[in-house]
Amino acid sequence: MRVFEKSLKLNNVCYDIRGPVMDEANRMQAAGEKILKLNIGNPAPFGFRAPESLVEHMAEKLTETEGYSDSKGLLSAREAIVKYDEKKGIHGVTVDDVYTGNGVSELITLSMQGLLDYGDEILVPAPDYPLWTASVTLAGGTAVHYICDEKAGWYPDIEDIRRKITPRTKGIVVINPNNPTGALYPESILKEIVAMAEMHDLIIFADEIYDRLVMDGKKHTSIASLAPECVCITFNGLSKSHLMAGYRVGWMSISGNKANAKGYIEGINLLSSMRLCSNVPAQSLIAPALDLLEETDTMLIPGGRVYEQREFIYNAVNDIPGMSAVKPEAAFYIFPKMDRKKFNIHDDERFALDLLKKKGILVTHGGGFHWEEPDHFRIVYLPAMDVLESAMTEMKDFFRDYRQAD
Ligand code: PLP
């Protein structure tokens, strides 16, 4: 009998959405058990609502947007993105350099498919948002992970990046603000990355989907604004900032030294045309959404829901003996560290399974983000405060006597 299987390394990608922990969660749910999901950055199930004016806008536009659009997207959407890029200091982007997608996810995959040959390397952060590693791998490339250093606020370790550049390195992925750590990178770090990219002719893939979810009066800097000499692709969308992940609205814009990437851009154009276009009613939201940037800001200041939940989760995690976490400055994730000795942890996936079975709490183990030491996990702190409070009480109770079996 013929066996159908792709020969790429599918077995080591995307542990956040599959694997034994998810299997067990699905089994428990099917058996009627209640599971508290702290594992997915999807605002809607936790009572966050998309801005009403945008929902109404899309409803009004439905009949006008029944056909395919230009494969890159509606002109009005791409003009709004160019304007947004300008506002972020990314100059020289034209509507021809902008591509809309069914979420950033589609464009991450497309950008890797259009670039990589077997053996090409892409520098990807560890911990990462796992779709990046998966997309590099599925495109036939090799993801080489550079360390983000917890002791340095989870900022990229510049020396580690330098050590890992080889003649086969084609690009570097920078996720800022970061999922899963919630870190926001200062300009000094971004400039060092740009200097390396310039020196080694690397394409910068800047995943900035959380750029508008920043707290503590901090400001996000787009790395592309510092890199006019590099080829830079900046990814953004409405899933997080406008709380509409299910609408599937994302985009990417190419900036900098585009002349150096003619062949690559031809490939991107081809792949973009092959998928015809992204969801057109959803594209119609981009222009009004980018005119509506303040609406969700109230969540991020003292008294706002995301801010207060961040304060709570940070204190609650650090209050558990044997646990610690860096305070996140952006997005809605925290990436706590467990004392391996105290809890005898040698397998973080096993820990996530134990927590699920004992307390019905679903988190993603650090290995799901390509973090090698089995000593971290990610909490999504989107659920309402009362839910978070009871989750953290249960978690504290779990860790009181947790010793992982040998
Ligand atoms: N990039 C990062 C860092 C993310 O965290 C996510 C989603 O969680 C995505 C991209 C994908 O977002 P989208 O909903 O636009 O596909």
Side-chain angles (χ1 to χ4, degrees), residues 102-105 108 129 175 179 207 209-210 239-240 245 248-249 333:
N102 295 306
V104 165
S105 304
I108 289 176
Y129 175 63
I175 305 172
N179 176 8
D207 183 342
I209 193 164
Y210 298 99
S239 292
K240 315 293 176 173
R248 312 309 297 128
V249 196
Y333 310 104

PDB file of all heavy atoms in Angstrom, residues 102-105 108 129 175 179 207 209-210 239-240 245 248-249 333, ligand 1:
ATOM      1  N   ASN A 102      -4.949  36.835   4.310  1.00  0.00           N
ATOM      2  CA  ASN A 102      -5.937  36.288   5.240  1.00  0.00           C
ATOM      3  C   ASN A 102      -5.258  36.115   6.596  1.00  0.00           C
ATOM      4  O   ASN A 102      -4.890  35.011   6.993  1.00  0.00           O
ATOM      5  CB  ASN A 102      -6.492  34.969   4.720  1.00  0.00           C
ATOM      6  CG  ASN A 102      -7.264  35.182   3.430  1.00  0.00           C
ATOM      7  OD1 ASN A 102      -8.182  35.997   3.378  1.00  0.00           O
ATOM      8  ND2 ASN A 102      -6.862  34.497   2.382  1.00  0.00           N
ATOM      9  N   GLY A 103      -5.043  37.211   7.258  1.00  0.00           N
ATOM     10  CA  GLY A 103      -4.226  37.218   8.471  1.00  0.00           C
ATOM     11  C   GLY A 103      -2.761  37.317   8.083  1.00  0.00           C
ATOM     12  O   GLY A 103      -2.382  37.060   6.919  1.00  0.00           O
ATOM     13  N   VAL A 104      -1.951  37.704   9.072  1.00  0.00           N
ATOM     14  CA  VAL A 104      -0.497  37.730   8.861  1.00  0.00           C
ATOM     15  C   VAL A 104      -0.011  36.311   8.549  1.00  0.00           C
ATOM     16  O   VAL A 104       0.932  36.109   7.790  1.00  0.00           O
ATOM     17  CB  VAL A 104       0.191  38.306  10.126  1.00  0.00           C
ATOM     18  CG1 VAL A 104       1.678  38.017  10.121  1.00  0.00           C
ATOM     19  CG2 VAL A 104      -0.054  39.813  10.227  1.00  0.00           C
ATOM     20  N   SER A 105      -0.695  35.332   9.109  1.00  0.00           N
ATOM     21  CA  SER A 105      -0.260  33.928   8.961  1.00  0.00           C
ATOM     22  C   SER A 105      -0.026  33.552   7.497  1.00  0.00           C
ATOM     23  O   SER A 105       1.002  32.973   7.152  1.00  0.00           O
ATOM     24  CB  SER A 105      -1.316  32.990   9.547  1.00  0.00           C
ATOM     25  OG  SER A 105      -1.575  33.321  10.883  1.00  0.00           O
ATOM     26  N   ILE A 108       3.144  35.132   6.175  1.00  0.00           N
ATOM     27  CA  ILE A 108       4.387  34.556   6.715  1.00  0.00           C
ATOM     28  C   ILE A 108       4.762  33.341   5.862  1.00  0.00           C
ATOM     29  O   ILE A 108       5.896  33.193   5.392  1.00  0.00           O
ATOM     30  CB  ILE A 108       4.214  34.161   8.206  1.00  0.00           C
ATOM     31  CG1 ILE A 108       4.110  35.412   9.084  1.00  0.00           C
ATOM     32  CG2 ILE A 108       5.361  33.255   8.673  1.00  0.00           C
ATOM     33  CD1 ILE A 108       3.830  35.131  10.564  1.00  0.00           C
ATOM     34  N   TYR A 129       7.284  32.796  17.805  1.00  0.00           N
ATOM     35  CA  TYR A 129       5.899  32.479  17.459  1.00  0.00           C
ATOM     36  C   TYR A 129       6.035  31.325  16.462  1.00  0.00           C
ATOM     37  O   TYR A 129       6.623  31.493  15.383  1.00  0.00           O
ATOM     38  CB  TYR A 129       5.205  33.695  16.836  1.00  0.00           C
ATOM     39  CG  TYR A 129       3.818  33.370  16.364  1.00  0.00           C
ATOM     40  CD1 TYR A 129       2.848  32.965  17.280  1.00  0.00           C
ATOM     41  CD2 TYR A 129       3.472  33.426  15.026  1.00  0.00           C
ATOM     42  CE1 TYR A 129       1.572  32.616  16.859  1.00  0.00           C
ATOM     43  CE2 TYR A 129       2.199  33.092  14.603  1.00  0.00           C
ATOM     44  CZ  TYR A 129       1.259  32.690  15.527  1.00  0.00           C
ATOM     45  OH  TYR A 129       0.000  32.345  15.111  1.00  0.00           O
ATOM     46  N   ILE A 175      10.426  39.584  16.029  1.00  0.00           N
ATOM     47  CA  ILE A 175       9.027  39.679  16.479  1.00  0.00           C
ATOM     48  C   ILE A 175       8.976  40.710  17.597  1.00  0.00           C
ATOM     49  O   ILE A 175       9.416  40.457  18.718  1.00  0.00           O
ATOM     50  CB  ILE A 175       8.501  38.318  16.975  1.00  0.00           C
ATOM     51  CG1 ILE A 175       8.671  37.251  15.889  1.00  0.00           C
ATOM     52  CG2 ILE A 175       7.031  38.436  17.393  1.00  0.00           C
ATOM     53  CD1 ILE A 175       8.366  35.821  16.351  1.00  0.00           C
ATOM     54  N   ASN A 179       5.671  37.847  20.986  1.00  0.00           N
ATOM     55  CA  ASN A 179       4.902  36.709  21.461  1.00  0.00           C
ATOM     56  C   ASN A 179       5.907  35.564  21.476  1.00  0.00           C
ATOM     57  O   ASN A 179       6.528  35.321  20.439  1.00  0.00           O
ATOM     58  CB  ASN A 179       3.764  36.412  20.464  1.00  0.00           C
ATOM     59  CG  ASN A 179       2.971  35.176  20.816  1.00  0.00           C
ATOM     60  OD1 ASN A 179       3.152  34.596  21.880  1.00  0.00           O
ATOM     61  ND2 ASN A 179       2.097  34.768  19.908  1.00  0.00           N
ATOM     62  N   ASP A 207       7.859  41.115  12.298  1.00  0.00           N
ATOM     63  CA  ASP A 207       6.484  40.768  12.678  1.00  0.00           C
ATOM     64  C   ASP A 207       6.055  41.737  13.771  1.00  0.00           C
ATOM     65  O   ASP A 207       6.490  41.649  14.912  1.00  0.00           O
ATOM     66  CB  ASP A 207       6.454  39.314  13.161  1.00  0.00           C
ATOM     67  CG  ASP A 207       5.049  38.831  13.507  1.00  0.00           C
ATOM     68  OD1 ASP A 207       4.152  39.676  13.714  1.00  0.00           O
ATOM     69  OD2 ASP A 207       4.864  37.600  13.591  1.00  0.00           O
ATOM     70  N   ILE A 209       2.736  42.620  14.634  1.00  0.00           N
ATOM     71  CA  ILE A 209       1.279  42.548  14.784  1.00  0.00           C
ATOM     72  C   ILE A 209       0.793  43.126  16.122  1.00  0.00           C
ATOM     73  O   ILE A 209      -0.360  43.511  16.255  1.00  0.00           O
ATOM     74  CB  ILE A 209       0.764  41.105  14.552  1.00  0.00           C
ATOM     75  CG1 ILE A 209      -0.754  41.096  14.399  1.00  0.00           C
ATOM     76  CG2 ILE A 209       1.216  40.160  15.642  1.00  0.00           C
ATOM     77  CD1 ILE A 209      -1.325  39.856  13.803  1.00  0.00           C
ATOM     78  N   TYR A 210       1.693  43.209  17.113  1.00  0.00           N
ATOM     79  CA  TYR A 210       1.290  43.767  18.421  1.00  0.00           C
ATOM     80  C   TYR A 210       1.750  45.224  18.602  1.00  0.00           C
ATOM     81  O   TYR A 210       1.802  45.707  19.720  1.00  0.00           O
ATOM     82  CB  TYR A 210       1.862  42.906  19.557  1.00  0.00           C
ATOM     83  CG  TYR A 210       1.338  41.491  19.522  1.00  0.00           C
ATOM     84  CD1 TYR A 210       2.103  40.462  18.968  1.00  0.00           C
ATOM     85  CD2 TYR A 210       0.067  41.187  20.009  1.00  0.00           C
ATOM     86  CE1 TYR A 210       1.608  39.157  18.900  1.00  0.00           C
ATOM     87  CE2 TYR A 210      -0.438  39.905  19.946  1.00  0.00           C
ATOM     88  CZ  TYR A 210       0.341  38.897  19.388  1.00  0.00           C
ATOM     89  OH  TYR A 210      -0.163  37.618  19.331  1.00  0.00           O
ATOM     90  N   SER A 239      -5.923  41.513  13.761  1.00  0.00           N
ATOM     91  CA  SER A 239      -6.368  40.449  14.677  1.00  0.00           C
ATOM     92  C   SER A 239      -6.280  40.866  16.131  1.00  0.00           C
ATOM     93  O   SER A 239      -7.143  40.533  16.931  1.00  0.00           O
ATOM     94  CB  SER A 239      -5.517  39.191  14.493  1.00  0.00           C
ATOM     95  OG  SER A 239      -5.749  38.605  13.258  1.00  0.00           O
ATOM     96  N   LYS A 240      -5.217  41.573  16.484  1.00  0.00           N
ATOM     97  CA  LYS A 240      -4.955  41.845  17.893  1.00  0.00           C
ATOM     98  C   LYS A 240      -5.378  43.263  18.263  1.00  0.00           C
ATOM     99  O   LYS A 240      -6.149  43.474  19.189  1.00  0.00           O
ATOM    100  CB  LYS A 240      -3.462  41.653  18.189  1.00  0.00           C
ATOM    101  CG  LYS A 240      -2.867  40.391  17.572  1.00  0.00           C
ATOM    102  CD  LYS A 240      -3.426  39.119  18.175  1.00  0.00           C
ATOM    103  CE  LYS A 240      -2.866  37.885  17.445  1.00  0.00           C
ATOM    104  NZ  LYS A 240      -3.228  36.628  18.057  1.00  0.00           N
ATOM    105  N   ALA A 245      -9.656  38.826  15.346  1.00  0.00           N
ATOM    106  CA  ALA A 245      -8.810  37.754  14.811  1.00  0.00           C
ATOM    107  C   ALA A 245      -9.557  36.886  13.796  1.00  0.00           C
ATOM    108  O   ALA A 245      -8.983  36.415  12.811  1.00  0.00           O
ATOM    109  CB  ALA A 245      -8.273  36.901  15.952  1.00  0.00           C
ATOM    110  N   ARG A 248      -9.723  37.693   9.851  1.00  0.00           N
ATOM    111  CA  ARG A 248      -8.546  37.344   9.052  1.00  0.00           C
ATOM    112  C   ARG A 248      -8.076  38.519   8.184  1.00  0.00           C
ATOM    113  O   ARG A 248      -8.220  38.521   6.958  1.00  0.00           O
ATOM    114  CB  ARG A 248      -8.807  36.095   8.165  1.00  0.00           C
ATOM    115  CG  ARG A 248      -9.429  34.904   8.855  1.00  0.00           C
ATOM    116  CD  ARG A 248      -8.690  34.491  10.133  1.00  0.00           C
ATOM    117  NE  ARG A 248      -7.340  34.058   9.904  1.00  0.00           N
ATOM    118  CZ  ARG A 248      -6.283  34.582  10.586  1.00  0.00           C
ATOM    119  NH1 ARG A 248      -6.452  35.517  11.495  1.00  0.00           N
ATOM    120  NH2 ARG A 248      -5.082  34.137  10.354  1.00  0.00           N
ATOM    121  N   VAL A 249      -7.556  39.529   8.818  1.00  0.00           N
ATOM    122  CA  VAL A 249      -7.044  40.698   8.090  1.00  0.00           C
ATOM    123  C   VAL A 249      -5.593  40.948   8.464  1.00  0.00           C
ATOM    124  O   VAL A 249      -5.284  41.256   9.620  1.00  0.00           O
ATOM    125  CB  VAL A 249      -7.837  41.991   8.423  1.00  0.00           C
ATOM    126  CG1 VAL A 249      -7.543  43.057   7.367  1.00  0.00           C
ATOM    127  CG2 VAL A 249      -9.318  41.739   8.543  1.00  0.00           C
ATOM    128  N   TYR A 333       0.645  38.371  26.707  1.00  0.00           N
ATOM    129  CA  TYR A 333       1.259  37.101  27.088  1.00  0.00           C
ATOM    130  C   TYR A 333       2.277  37.319  28.198  1.00  0.00           C
ATOM    131  O   TYR A 333       2.902  38.383  28.278  1.00  0.00           O
ATOM    132  CB  TYR A 333       2.006  36.491  25.900  1.00  0.00           C
ATOM    133  CG  TYR A 333       1.195  36.415  24.639  1.00  0.00           C
ATOM    134  CD1 TYR A 333       1.409  37.306  23.588  1.00  0.00           C
ATOM    135  CD2 TYR A 333       0.200  35.455  24.498  1.00  0.00           C
ATOM    136  CE1 TYR A 333       0.657  37.241  22.421  1.00  0.00           C
ATOM    137  CE2 TYR A 333      -0.558  35.375  23.332  1.00  0.00           C
ATOM    138  CZ  TYR A 333      -0.324  36.269  22.304  1.00  0.00           C
ATOM    139  OH  TYR A 333      -1.069  36.202  21.156  1.00  0.00           O
TER     140      TYR A 333
HETATM  141  N1  PLP B   1       2.510  36.869  14.424  1.00  0.00           N
HETATM  142  C1  PLP B   1       2.451  36.747  15.760  1.00  0.00           C
HETATM  143  C2  PLP B   1       3.635  37.130  16.558  1.00  0.00           C
HETATM  144  C3  PLP B   1       1.291  36.248  16.371  1.00  0.00           C
HETATM  145  O1  PLP B   1       1.257  36.130  17.701  1.00  0.00           O
HETATM  146  C4  PLP B   1       0.190  35.879  15.568  1.00  0.00           C
HETATM  147  C5  PLP B   1      -1.028  35.315  16.174  1.00  0.00           C
HETATM  148  O2  PLP B   1      -1.101  34.986  17.340  1.00  0.00           O
HETATM  149  C6  PLP B   1       0.303  36.028  14.181  1.00  0.00           C
HETATM  150  C7  PLP B   1       1.473  36.536  13.654  1.00  0.00           C
HETATM  151  C8  PLP B   1      -0.804  35.638  13.262  1.00  0.00           C
HETATM  152  O3  PLP B   1      -1.805  36.574  13.242  1.00  0.00           O
HETATM  153  P1  PLP B   1      -3.006  36.589  12.186  1.00  0.00           P
HETATM  154  O4  PLP B   1      -4.255  36.456  12.987  1.00  0.00           O
HETATM  155  O5  PLP B   1      -2.921  37.935  11.523  1.00  0.00           O
HETATM  156  O6  PLP B   1      -2.818  35.486  11.229  1.00  0.00           O
END
